[in-house]
Amino acid sequence: MTIQDINSTIEPQKEALLQHPLYKKVKTIEDLQLFLENHVFAVWDFMSLLKSLQSKLTCTTTPWFATANPETRYLINEIVVAEESDLTIDGRRQSHYEMYIEAMKDCGASTVEIESFLAEVISLQNIFVAIKTSNLHPNIKAFLDFTFRVIEQGKPHEIAAAFTFGREDLIPSMFTEILKNFQTNFPDTDLRKLIHYFERHIEIDADEHGPMAMKMITELCGDDTQKWIEVQEVSVMALDRRIGLWDAIEETIAMKVEMA
């Protein structure tokens, strides 16, 4: 099995995401704010996939010892540098999650729900209990639970699969166009940081992180057929959860319209 085989298998899920009716439902600033307030959970849990991979593929404890594969060590460390400490639009260093939070605040989206959830995670010291007892949409709960189940399983190739194939690289370009239209139609709303966030994803995912992540998968699976099968299974499930997240956001926007 190869990367091409995985891509062929997940094509229906990727097509479903590209054709999802959610995009046409984001028509007003209020719709955009609802999108951000729900999508931010995916921005946050992506960082946990990233750091889980770093802990598996590099040495993050003392005393230090060289891990087995210098290539995967290099690949994940390079990705971490940008994702955890990228340059903001005004030249500061921030994680992509922090950039997203700032962008949300600039366009009037609330960060209360994500911040309350993270406070519960810290308080309970158990991510699965925090997810289960939260008031989040069931699809968002399923999305988060899947991510942390994969992390808990502890198989680097499966975590890499959720990280690589579960976070499709086509959506940022689509949302950048939506945001540029919003900037024209709603000039009083500051979307510069949000546009920068999505443009950074397009730039580094296409040119750097995408190819690096694919190479990481290849390195981790090698000639092990079972690992390739598990990568395929996790990739399909990860994209199914992403479709569920999109369904939840579409439903939230539709409910707002009905109540208006």
Side-chain angles (χ1 to χ4, degrees), residues 20-235:
H20 200 285
L22 168 63
Y23 311 116
K24 293 180 180 177
K25 301 290 176 65
V26 183
K27 297 177 180 177
T28 67
I29 289 296
E30 291 74 23
D31 297 337
L32 178 63
Q33 290 166 349
L34 284 173
F35 172 84
L36 299 175
E37 289 162 13
N38 288 278
H39 178 243
V40 67
F41 288 91
V43 176
W44 171 73
D45 83 334
F46 174 82
M47 299 302 296
S48 290
L49 285 168
L50 174 71
K51 298 303 286 185
S52 176
L53 276 173
Q54 188 182 35
S55 70
K56 295 287 182 186
L57 303 179
T58 75
C59 183
T60 57
T61 57
T62 56
W64 178 87
F65 296 98
T67 49
N69 189 326
E71 189 65 25
T72 56
R73 187 195 313 158
Y74 162 76
L75 291 168
I76 194 61
N77 278 334
E78 279 292 299
I79 295 172
V80 166
V81 168
E83 294 288 347
E84 198 171 33
S85 51
D86 202 3
L87 278 174
T88 63
I89 195 170
D90 52 1
R92 292 171 294 127
R93 291 286 177 187
Q94 280 188 334
S95 69
H96 282 187
Y97 168 75
E98 291 165 311
M99 288 168 63
Y100 199 86
I101 289 290
E102 277 198 2
M104 287 177 67
K105 290 177 179 177
D106 272 11
C107 68
S110 172
T111 60
V112 170
E113 193 165 37
I114 180 67
E115 289 168 354
S116 297
F117 175 75
L118 296 189
E120 276 296 286
V121 173
I122 294 168
S123 173
L124 293 170
Q125 292 293 297
N126 187 313
I127 183 63
F128 298 107
V129 173
I131 293 167
K132 186 175 181 180
T133 58
S134 73
N135 293 320
L136 299 174
H137 189 287
N139 289 15
I140 298 178
K141 289 186 179 187
F143 184 91
L144 292 171
D145 187 78
F146 171 77
T147 295
F148 287 97
R149 296 289 172 193
V150 171
I151 290 171
E152 187 180 51
Q153 289 280 1
K155 295 182 179 181
H157 60 285
E158 291 189 352
I159 300 168
F163 178 87
T164 303
F165 295 105
R167 309 295 168 132
E168 75 299 321
D169 57 3
L170 300 170
I171 301 305
S173 57
M174 187 172 294
F175 265 96
T176 300
E177 290 307 309
I178 292 172
L179 291 171
K180 286 178 179 175
N181 289 334
F182 266 72
Q183 193 72 84
T184 302
N185 297 327
F186 302 97
D188 294 334
T189 304
D190 189 354
L191 298 176
R192 288 173 300 167
K193 288 181 180 177
L194 197 57
I195 291 171
H196 175 74
Y197 169 86
F198 281 112
E199 286 182 338
R200 281 298 290 155
H201 266 277
I202 295 166
E203 180 183 346
I204 63 178
D205 285 355
D207 298 339
E208 302 170 29
H209 293 182
M212 283 182 172
M214 296 298 179
K215 189 172 182 181
M216 184 165 55
I217 292 276
T218 303
E219 289 280 338
L220 289 170
C221 291
D223 297 324
D224 191 322
T225 302
Q226 184 57 36
K227 284 184 178 179
W228 280 109
I229 291 171
E230 290 171 355
V231 162
Q232 181 173 272
E233 290 172 348
V234 168
S235 300

